[in-house]
Amino acid sequence: MEQKPVTAIIVGAGHRAFVYSKLALTNPEMLKIVGVADPDPIRRKKAMDMFGFPEENCFEDADALSRVPKFADTIINGTMDHQHIETSIPLLKKGYDMLLEKPFATNEKEMRELVDCVRENGNKVMICHVLRYTPFYLSIKERVAAGEIGDIINIQTSEHVSYHHLSTSYVRGKWANSDVCHTSMLLAKCCHDLDMMMWMMSETKPVRICSFGSKFQFKPENAPKEAGTRCLVDCPLVDTCRYSAKRLYLDQPDRWAFYIWDKLEGIENPTDEDRINLLKGDSNYGKCIYKCDNNVVDHQSVLINFASGATGTHNMVGGSSKPLRRIHIVGTKGEIYGDFEESKFFVSKIHPTKTDEKTVEEVDLRVTGDMVGAYGGHGGGDERLAEDFVKFIRGEKPSLACTSIFDSVAGHLCVYLADKSREENGMPQDVIL
């Protein structure tokens, strides 16, 4: 008997929610979008036009949606991080299952409140740890799970956040000020990476953690003497500063369009003049990079001790010339090391002979088949995650990458405790799961 598509309502019609919802367009037999809740009428109309549901299924927020009878199987929750509790709990209590964007909570208290709600109501909740679904990380996990490198002794992960990404998201953008977004940079950017570490180390649990980091680069005292306050208004360095809004945004208007030009969504075909006026006005993206109200760190290092005696480190560095994610896992039989952007990793195994001491296998996923680029975003992971969510809801066997909310607790808790350690000058923190 052919199964009906899983029905879903978008709550928070932002970029990520639309990315996952597009499965309804490419695979309508799997997913059907039947409603939307978002305070922005432009976003509501966009969802309605894209997916073809009636206006009566449009709501201003999750609370309004929770007051009508349940009319779908699931919620795709793409609201901002600090809104996850208020938008999730009423709908979970209503009986909806949920695909919830990461990080699913901004602090430990919220995390435990949400997990308790899911446990009490018996919901199926999957967290959007999309990097698990990329061919690169999934292939490495399969090798680790098969025992190819033995017991893990140490795992090292690193993420370099490009200068234009750092500027757009964490200095001028939505995640620049933790007092406003309620999210640290480590949580917003690297809960992927800490989740990845917990996934690779799933045979043991984290027990202690410490961390250091700071806002190193983008602060008023580092501004050039002649710098103005708004790039296109009063700054003589507009054509030379590497962080000039003109050079980052006007000269490359499509790179971060969804964030930079969000206030122009109501204009059908915005012009260069529209963009210039926006940056000259009150947009944060037009401010001098050194004179914003950002308070999150731009680099941070984390050290984790596991119950098995293994150790793990994660280094996040913002402002690099290019984006980079790398992983290196050392086990008792060998090691795996690779570069996510290159979509290539190496499996090196101990093999003592008279001529060599190891064997090395190169795994290049750009060459070996349909993996990288088949679906687009996040190295091929976005649509695979949406497909696995449908399997998860239907009760079918999900993939090795599937992350229920319960699987996501360890990684989130490590981020909260790392930030607490950083705030306390590196004081070690006990991890209590």
Side-chain angles (χ1 to χ4, degrees):
M1 182 178 176
E2 186 176 348
Q3 287 187 299
K4 293 181 179 179
V6 169
T7 54
I9 302 165
I10 296 172
V11 174
H15 177 59
R16 298 307 302 162
F18 277 117
V19 165
Y20 301 127
S21 299
K22 283 181 180 177
L23 182 68
L25 303 179
T26 60
N27 295 78
E29 76 284 358
M30 297 186 72
L31 182 68
K32 183 177 182 180
I33 306 299
V34 298
V36 65
D38 192 287
D40 187 339
I42 295 173
R43 299 277 178 89
R44 293 198 299 269
K45 186 176 188 306
K46 179 180 177 180
M48 186 171 60
D49 292 345
M50 183 178 291
F51 299 108
F53 52 80
E55 190 171 1
E56 64 194 49
N57 289 0
C58 295
F59 301 86
E60 289 191 357
D61 52 34
D63 184 59
L65 174 60
S66 71
R67 293 198 296 268
V68 303
K70 181 174 179 281
F71 65 93
D73 303 313
T74 67
I75 301 295
I76 295 176
N77 190 335
T79 57
M80 285 292 289
D81 307 335
H82 65 281
Q83 298 173 314
H84 287 173
I85 292 294
E86 66 189 65
T87 57
S88 296
I89 287 180
L91 297 172
L92 293 170
K93 289 181 176 180
K94 196 79 176 181
Y96 288 102
D97 294 324
M98 188 173 291
L99 179 63
L100 181 56
E101 186 56 274
K102 63 83 196 167
F104 71 80
T106 61
N107 56 58
E108 184 176 352
K109 179 178 179 294
E110 286 184 355
M111 178 194 78
R112 298 197 185 280
E113 182 181 355
L114 193 49
V115 169
D116 287 346
C117 178
V118 173
R119 188 177 286 116
E120 290 167 7
N121 290 277
N123 313 91
K124 290 182 177 180
V125 178
M126 183 171 145
I127 307 303
C128 297
H129 285 298
V130 67
L131 289 189
R132 289 192 180 203
Y133 288 87
T134 62
F136 177 79
Y137 286 112
L138 182 55
S139 296
I140 291 175
K141 173 62 178 178
E142 289 169 347
R143 299 297 187 101
V144 170
E148 288 194 27
I149 61 169
D151 297 326
I152 295 176
I153 303 168
N154 175 263
I155 178 168
Q156 306 156 35
T157 60
S158 59
E159 178 171 13
H160 294 181
V161 184
S162 73
Y163 67 96
H164 52 83
H165 191 173
L166 184 74
S167 163
T168 302
S169 295
Y170 304 102
V171 183
R172 289 169 167 144
K174 292 181 178 181
W175 296 276
N177 190 306
S178 59
D179 296 332
V180 177
C181 69
H182 306 279
T183 307
S184 71
M185 184 174 178
L186 189 69
L187 182 61
K189 191 74 188 77
C190 296
C191 67
H192 273 315
D193 304 273
L194 272 295
D195 171 74
M196 197 62 57
M197 187 183 293
M198 297 305 113
W199 189 39
M200 298 295 174
M201 301 291 291
S202 59
E203 297 304 313
T204 184
K205 300 296 181 186
V207 294
R208 216 157 196 226
I209 188 167
C210 64
S211 180
F212 294 91
S214 68
K215 186 173 78 167
F216 182 87
Q217 190 173 178
F218 300 108
K219 42 194 178 182
E221 57 265 37
N222 289 341
K225 290 181 180 179
E226 60 270 46
T229 57
R230 299 196 68 84
C231 298
L232 275 71
V233 175
D234 60 357
C235 187
L237 307 177
V238 66
D239 292 313
T240 57
C241 175
R242 68 176 64 91
Y243 289 99
S244 160
K246 175 182 180 295
R247 299 179 76 185
L248 289 184
Y249 310 133
L250 290 178
D251 292 351
Q252 301 195 61
D254 298 326
R255 183 163 58 188
W256 295 100
F258 197 90
Y259 297 116
I260 309 302
W261 315 122
D262 62 336
K263 293 181 179 178
L264 301 179
E265 281 186 327
I267 301 174
E268 187 171 349
N269 292 301
T271 64
D272 286 345
E273 186 178 359
D274 292 324
R275 297 186 182 97
I276 290 170
N277 288 336
L278 180 66
L279 294 178
K280 282 184 174 181
D282 61 357
S283 169
N284 279 345
Y285 297 108
K287 288 182 178 179
C288 172
I289 192 78
Y290 298 98
K291 301 176 182 179
C292 295
D293 63 349
N294 57 306
N295 68 356
V296 299
V297 303
D298 53 27
H299 72 111
Q300 188 167 350
S301 296
V302 181
L303 171 62
I304 301 174
N305 190 35
F306 289 88
S308 66
T311 51
T313 60
H314 177 67
N315 287 304
M316 182 275 292
V317 184
S320 60
S321 60
K322 65 176 185 177
L324 177 146
R325 267 190 168 105
R326 285 182 179 160
I327 187 168
H328 194 154
I329 310 172
V330 182
T332 53
K333 297 179 182 178
E335 54 196 279
I336 298 174
Y337 49 95
D339 185 315
F340 174 69
E341 271 68 33
E342 294 291 326
S343 202
K344 180 189 294 186
F345 66 88
F346 298 85
V347 183
S348 178
K349 296 180 182 178
I350 298 172
H351 185 67
T353 68
K354 290 182 178 180
T355 58
D356 206 349
E357 71 275 2
K358 65 184 181 302
T359 62
V360 180
E361 175 191 357
E362 178 180 325
V363 182
D364 190 339
L365 296 169
R366 296 170 303 172
V367 176
T368 56
D370 64 351
M371 291 180 170
V372 175
Y375 293 125
H378 282 102
D382 287 336
E383 191 162 341
R384 286 184 178 85
L385 185 150
E387 291 174 354
D388 214 28
F389 175 61
V390 171
K391 292 180 183 178
F392 179 62
I393 297 301
R394 285 176 170 173
E396 300 171 10
K397 184 178 180 180
S399 76
L400 181 64
C402 187
T403 321
S404 79
I405 193 170
F406 305 111
D407 298 325
S408 192
V409 167
H412 277 66
L413 186 56
C414 281
V415 176
Y416 305 142
L417 294 175
D419 279 328
K420 184 177 180 183
S421 173
R422 174 182 56 78
E423 291 165 359
E424 297 178 0
N425 296 313
M427 181 69 68
Q429 307 290 322
D430 291 328
V431 181
I432 302 173
L433 293 168

